[in-house]
Amino acid sequence: PMAVMANNDISVDDEAYTESGNFELKSGTLSLSGLGGIGQGSLTVNNQIKVSGGLLQTYGQMAGVYSIYGDIELVGGKVRAEDFNEYGLYARRGNVMVGGNADVYVSCYVRSSSVGISGGSVGVEEENGNVCFNGGKTQVEVPWIGIFAQGNADFENGKIEITAGEVNVEVSQGTKNEGAAIYAQGNGADILIRGGSINAFSGGDNEQISIGLYADRNIKIEGGTVRADAENKNKTGAAIGASAEKGIYIAGGTFVAKGESSAVSVAAPYIGAGVGV
């Protein structure tokens, strides 16, 4: 495992603090193995993590790629996070952004409660806790939640936004808790899709609820191709293709939903043109 820390002599309230403790991979290969350990991350960075080229490959630890205070930005190269205990890519107090020609692969079956990619907002400002895709190719294969935006109850954050790229998520085992391929959580938690290709599959095998796409507020689809699919292998739990507490709004693109219990489940749905259930 590798750690890049900020200067502890600088106050966390000082803007200069964020200028240290950053990491960028531009080329070459960095392979880090923390298998058997339960520490922080195979790569733990105090502030921003950026990959613009090369190959970053991690195995094991609590997280594969872990930012404590900053964002994770992937704009090029390849990133592989495997066999972690809790999170593949985790910005605990920041955002995760994937774009350019980044090639991202996240996979873990070590624990039944593992999360693939997550932005968080632990006690911080409202601009954090989001996950954005504007390009690249992302593949996530985990048991519980594939892509997770964790908003703070005090702010309108926790958004997942996809404008371009290819995003494929498969949640195939799950726990007795609700499992979702793509999940936006919080008071301002929307899933907004304007383009790209998205496949979200959740397949539980116990009494959990399996959901392909789930938002605490709205799902809005304005473009792209979206498929939300859910099933329960032993038929003991509900399986819903897409669900949102406020509504699902289709203004463009193509939306196909499939679920053994229901294709779409919402409190106040609005379904527009281009939707298939």
Side-chain angles (χ1 to χ4, degrees):
M2 174 178 172
V4 181
M5 297 290 100
N7 186 343
N8 289 328
D9 294 330
I10 301 174
S11 168
V12 293
D13 297 323
D14 195 320
E15 185 177 340
Y17 184 76
T18 62
E19 296 178 0
S20 64
N22 299 294
F23 171 86
E24 181 175 0
L25 181 66
K26 297 180 179 180
S27 64
T29 298
L30 177 62
S31 183
L32 303 166
S33 178
L35 289 173
I38 55 173
Q40 295 192 70
S42 285
L43 173 64
T44 300
V45 177
N46 221 78
N47 292 311
Q48 186 188 50
I49 298 172
K50 183 174 182 178
V51 177
S52 55
L55 169 61
L56 172 60
Q57 186 171 271
T58 69
Y59 302 94
Q61 295 288 293
M62 179 276 289
V65 179
Y66 176 40
S67 170
I68 302 172
Y69 293 104
D71 297 332
I72 297 175
E73 184 178 1
L74 312 177
V75 296
K78 296 183 178 181
V79 177
R80 300 285 182 270
E82 300 177 63
D83 298 329
F84 45 88
N85 285 286
E86 295 184 30
Y87 295 92
L89 310 179
Y90 185 31
R92 187 168 184 259
R93 298 176 177 89
N95 304 308
V96 179
M97 295 165 283
V98 178
N101 61 351
D103 185 344
V104 181
Y105 177 70
V106 178
S107 176
C108 175
Y109 295 101
V110 175
R111 291 179 61 183
S112 63
S113 58
S114 295
V115 175
I117 298 174
S118 180
S121 59
V122 181
V124 292
E125 294 80 11
E126 79 179 286
E127 64 264 19
N128 297 321
N130 307 300
V131 181
C132 303
F133 298 86
N134 56 28
K137 181 179 180 180
T138 302
Q139 180 77 28
V140 179
E141 300 168 3
V142 293
W144 187 30
I145 301 176
I147 297 170
F148 191 19
Q150 302 182 56
N152 189 303
D154 296 327
F155 303 112
E156 288 200 359
N157 53 8
K159 295 178 173 62
I160 296 172
E161 184 172 346
I162 303 172
T163 58
E166 183 179 336
V167 180
N168 299 302
V169 183
E170 181 175 325
V171 175
S172 59
Q173 292 181 8
T175 67
K176 290 186 178 180
N177 299 313
E178 181 177 281
I182 299 177
Y183 179 16
Q185 178 190 70
N187 286 349
D190 295 331
I191 296 175
L192 176 59
I193 300 172
R194 294 192 170 101
S197 173
I198 299 92
N199 288 288
F201 172 78
S202 180
D205 58 2
N206 49 41
E207 296 177 358
Q208 71 165 24
I209 299 175
S210 298
I211 305 175
L213 290 178
Y214 180 70
D216 277 354
R217 194 162 71 168
N218 301 302
I219 295 174
K220 300 179 180 180
I221 300 173
E222 300 175 357
T225 301
V226 183
R227 181 177 181 87
D229 193 354
E231 68 177 28
N232 190 283
K233 297 174 184 177
N234 59 12
K235 316 300 182 186
T236 60
I240 302 168
S243 180
E245 293 298 320
K246 299 298 182 181
I248 297 177
Y249 302 85
I250 313 297
T254 300
F255 175 46
V256 177
K258 178 184 176 183
E260 289 181 330
S261 301
S262 62
V264 178
S265 176
V266 289
Y270 172 82
I271 301 299
V275 60
V277 295

